[in-house]
Amino acid sequence: MPASPVDAPAGAVPMLRGAYVERRDLLALRDQIGRPRRRRARRERGERSSRVRGRGMDFAEVRAYQPGDDVRTIDWRVTARRNTVHTKVFHEERERPTLIVVEQTPSLFFGSRVRLKSAAAAEHAARLAWLSLARRERVGGLVLGAQDTARHRPLASVQAVARLLGDVACANQALARGQAPRPALGAALADITTAARGGHRIFLVSDCYGIAPEDRRALLRLARSNDVHALFVYDPLELELPPADQYQVTDGERVVAFDSANTGLRRSYRERFSARRDALLGLCRDAGVHAQLVATDQPWLP
């Protein structure tokens, strides 16, 4: 079933719902984000300033002239007033490309409310891509599918984002019951580090079942020279068992029956999720990765 908009609380925007998303759904999200801002005439490439000092367009300060400084930057008014040579210093602008890494693997092909985790991850990835483009950033990414990975070099164009989201939709629609799990995100960290050698803003959108404690070193290496954010998608049914009753669940092959009224079962189920959540957040904190959890029934909050 393709995704369709669903009402959201005040202050949020409508969500996509359903088991699958289509390319047109993800492209249409651009209208909720807005168009790229018009550059100011005094700006060059990039909208963000780095800490690197150099000859750019943004004035930083006036300081005493030092051997090697460009004579063209001498501030003659301050020089005359203080009777010593002073020069202007500027912030050098650096472009920060955005890399969207979105997982569309069998572990995300699950959901109990509004949509599947895979559909939620696809929507959040699309919104991040359009938001980054609206900030005049180059946008690329990796789409981790059930079988392979699609790679997109960061480019500052609507067509580039559309190609990225087309692959997200294809990977999403290729998901089906009974597919073998694939620990995609952990295995892809080396690939991501190669694609983003420094100065990137990276968004990891996944349920992060493919991340393990042994991936800490790879995350550290990635976050050392990039601004890394992790968006962990989960379903409310992973957090808490359904109301007390007799249930049967299946993965398409096996059937398991359980009684959700069992107090011990409910407690151990809740504790298992909490332990996994705390381990993930701790791993990201130690690696310098900004992490956030978002449920499948939770809308995008601007």
Side-chain angles (χ1 to χ4, degrees), residues 177 246-258:
R177 291 189 303 173
Q246 299 283 338
Y247 293 91
Q248 285 189 338
V249 295
T250 179
D251 61 0
E253 295 180 358
R254 297 172 300 167
V255 177
V256 176
F258 66 94

Side-chain angles (χ1 to χ4, degrees), residues 196-212:
R197 294 191 176 276
H200 285 65
R201 179 177 287 106
I202 302 173
F203 293 99
L204 309 176
V205 187
S206 165
D207 64 355
C208 291
Y209 274 106
I211 288 286

Side-chain angles (χ1 to χ4, degrees), residues 162-194:
R163 288 192 293 269
L164 170 65
L165 299 184
D167 278 345
V168 172
C170 286
N172 176 270
Q173 293 170 17
L175 292 171
R177 291 189 303 173
Q179 291 175 319
R182 180 194 177 201
L185 187 55
L189 286 175
D191 201 1
I192 299 169
T193 304
T194 300

Side-chain angles (χ1 to χ4, degrees), residues 15-86:
M15 293 181 286
L16 298 180
R17 64 182 303 166
Y20 294 100
V21 298
E22 295 185 4
R23 182 175 180 269
R24 66 169 180 265
D25 301 323
L26 303 181
L27 297 182
L29 294 175
R30 183 188 181 203
D31 294 328
Q32 297 179 13
I33 297 295
R35 304 300 184 185
R37 296 196 299 261
R38 187 183 300 275
R39 291 191 201 274
R40 287 177 289 181
R42 69 186 187 91
R43 290 280 189 179
E44 292 183 343
R45 287 184 61 83
E47 289 261 333
R48 301 184 179 275
S49 300
S50 75
R51 294 181 181 178
V52 179
R53 298 294 178 88
R55 194 159 181 269
M57 297 304 294
D58 280 345
F59 172 75
E61 62 183 357
V62 173
R63 60 162 171 78
Y65 180 85
Q66 298 174 2
D69 286 342
D70 193 333
V71 296
R72 292 175 296 177
T73 63
I74 292 176
D75 190 322
W76 294 107
R77 290 185 179 180
V78 177
T79 297
R81 188 168 62 248
R82 298 187 181 181
N83 206 30
T84 56
V85 181
H86 279 67

